[in-house]
Amino acid sequence: MSANDTMNDVVVGNNAEIPFDRCTQASFQRDMLTTLVYTIVCGFLIIVTNNYLKTVPEQQQRQQQRTGNKAPHDGDVKYSLTIVDHIFGALTTLVAFVNMAVRAFRGVAYWVVQPCHVLTFALIYIIYSKESRITPFRYFLYFSWMPVVGLFNADYSWFSYDFEVPLFYIHHLLVTTVPFYYLFTRRFHTDLLVFDPAHSHKYTTWKGRICFFLNAVAWASIYHVWVLVWFGWYMNEDFNGMRCVPPIPILTAMGPHWREGMFAAATLLSIIMGLLPEALAMAMWGWRRGKKQASKIVHKMVDDIPSTTATTKKGKSKAH
């Protein structure tokens, strides 16, 4: 028995002119309830996490008051684009232009509201930004699970031209891999303890990272329920499975709660794609810094050995 046979708040579309004409959908009342619940829960998370992320610990406040120095702000350090940045930027811009052109030609330019296309334009901004703004990059990193979902859910029936299949994979691989290149090459994660000491707790502590993770998940959920659900109602479309139950057995079995299942999976992916890689990268940088400091100490000790030996020999000769 399907979900629409057992629950009144799930209906089956019967308009043959829309792409989701035979799929199981939530009713208008159900979507209103979902939007209300997610707005309250995610709004609360955003307010609480923002309050923590904007708070400077008392110890660091006292330190700044004693020294009288103000820490550099996010974006104060300028960045010179490299050849790799220009390659990434050119490829991403070309992909975005072709995708826009194809959708405009088919009369569905509004499909750029899909997260993967929005992230493509965000990536262009991040690549060509000459300011070391870590916050936009971190949001992008924590949203990188979205193109991964798209990568493994390609709908080949929508493609009309041979070039669209490789374009699809180039597009999604770019949006997925470029943030990890920047993460592990530290383009945006500079030496945070020096660069932004007043707010370093946001990046270097688990509490700060988890707060940012919850903040990013909340904003992603708000975008899905406010933009994708209601723009889908306006355009009679299904964006990202927000109005149409995807043909996945476990989601189909959840009936009208399939979106909760998708959000739970998205949260797990955000941990795998954002929270854990950032923690790993910072642990590696800490290890490298420690290794460099240890190396300097060892070299200093080695440099001191000859002078110590010479002094000892000189003392012995005097004794004789």
Side-chain angles (χ1 to χ4, degrees):
M1 184 175 290
S2 63
N4 54 292
D5 294 327
T6 59
M7 310 200 70
N8 295 327
D9 53 3
V10 177
V11 296
V12 176
N14 54 14
N15 185 351
E17 296 179 357
I18 60 177
F20 50 99
D21 57 332
R22 288 179 299 275
C23 76
T24 303
Q25 306 166 35
S27 66
F28 180 84
Q29 292 78 7
R30 183 75 192 184
D31 282 343
M32 286 289 291
L33 178 62
T34 299
T35 303
L36 177 63
V37 171
Y38 274 85
T39 300
I40 294 173
V41 174
C42 294
F44 174 77
L45 277 177
I46 290 169
I47 292 171
V48 171
T49 54
N50 275 347
N51 183 61
Y52 173 79
L53 295 173
K54 290 180 179 179
T55 302
V56 179
E58 291 183 6
Q59 181 181 358
Q60 291 171 345
Q61 283 181 350
R62 289 195 298 269
Q63 183 179 356
Q64 284 186 9
Q65 289 172 357
R66 285 197 305 269
T67 59
N69 296 324
K70 292 185 178 180
H73 294 288
D74 188 15
D76 283 350
V77 178
K78 300 300 179 183
Y79 173 81
S80 298
L81 297 176
T82 67
I83 186 64
V84 175
D85 296 320
H86 285 294
I87 292 173
F88 284 153
L91 282 174
T92 308
T93 303
L94 178 63
V95 165
F97 174 78
V98 175
N99 276 328
M100 280 288 296
V102 169
R103 280 150 185 77
F105 179 75
R106 293 181 182 173
V108 290
Y110 54 82
W111 269 77
V112 294
V113 299
Q114 290 275 54
C116 292
H117 297 297
V118 175
L119 288 175
T120 304
F121 292 108
L123 181 59
I124 294 172
Y125 164 77
I126 287 170
I127 290 172
Y128 285 114
S129 174
K130 292 186 178 182
E131 298 178 335
S132 298
R133 295 193 179 278
I134 187 174
T135 301
F137 171 76
R138 290 188 86 205
Y139 275 115
F140 190 95
L141 178 68
Y142 280 69
F143 292 156
S144 62
W145 58 267
M146 299 183 198
V148 171
V149 173
L151 194 62
F152 290 98
N153 287 277
D155 183 7
Y156 294 99
S157 65
W158 194 85
F159 300 141
S160 300
Y161 307 103
D162 292 337
F163 70 84
E164 287 188 84
V165 175
L167 178 69
F168 171 85
Y169 284 103
I170 292 171
H171 173 203
H172 285 75
L173 285 172
L174 271 173
V175 182
T176 303
T177 57
V178 170
F180 287 98
Y181 171 80
Y182 286 140
L183 173 65
F184 286 97
T185 56
R186 295 183 63 178
R187 171 176 169 178
F188 296 94
H189 287 71
T190 52
D191 191 352
L192 297 166
L193 291 173
V194 175
F195 173 66
D196 192 8
H199 295 277
S200 61
H201 63 288
K202 295 188 292 187
Y203 323 108
T204 57
T205 66
W206 272 106
K207 185 177 180 180
R209 283 195 289 263
I210 290 173
C211 274
F212 191 89
F213 156 73
L214 293 174
N215 187 278
V217 168
W219 277 118
S221 302
I222 289 290
Y223 183 83
H224 277 72
V225 297
W226 271 102
V227 177
L228 300 186
V229 170
W230 295 108
F231 192 60
W233 270 97
Y234 179 75
M235 299 301 301
N236 262 352
E237 291 279 10
D238 173 41
F239 298 110
N240 257 33
M242 286 294 99
R243 288 197 61 204
C244 220
V245 182
I248 301 174
I250 189 171
L251 295 178
T252 304
M254 297 180 74
H257 303 288
W258 88 91
R259 282 177 293 213
E260 283 66 46
M262 292 175 66
F263 284 129
T267 302
L268 178 61
L269 281 173
S270 185
I271 294 173
I272 296 172
M273 299 292 295
L275 185 64
L276 294 181
E278 187 178 44
L280 174 63
M282 289 191 176
M284 290 173 60
W285 304 333
W287 176 77
R288 287 176 182 174
R289 268 200 304 271
K291 188 177 179 182
K292 286 181 180 178
Q293 290 173 354
S295 178
K296 289 179 181 178
I297 293 171
V298 170
H299 281 303
K300 187 176 185 306
M301 291 173 64
V302 171
D303 291 340
D304 289 343
I305 289 175
S307 59
T308 305
T309 306
T311 303
T312 305
K313 287 182 178 179
K314 191 180 292 185
K316 287 183 178 179
S317 62
K318 286 182 178 180
H320 288 295

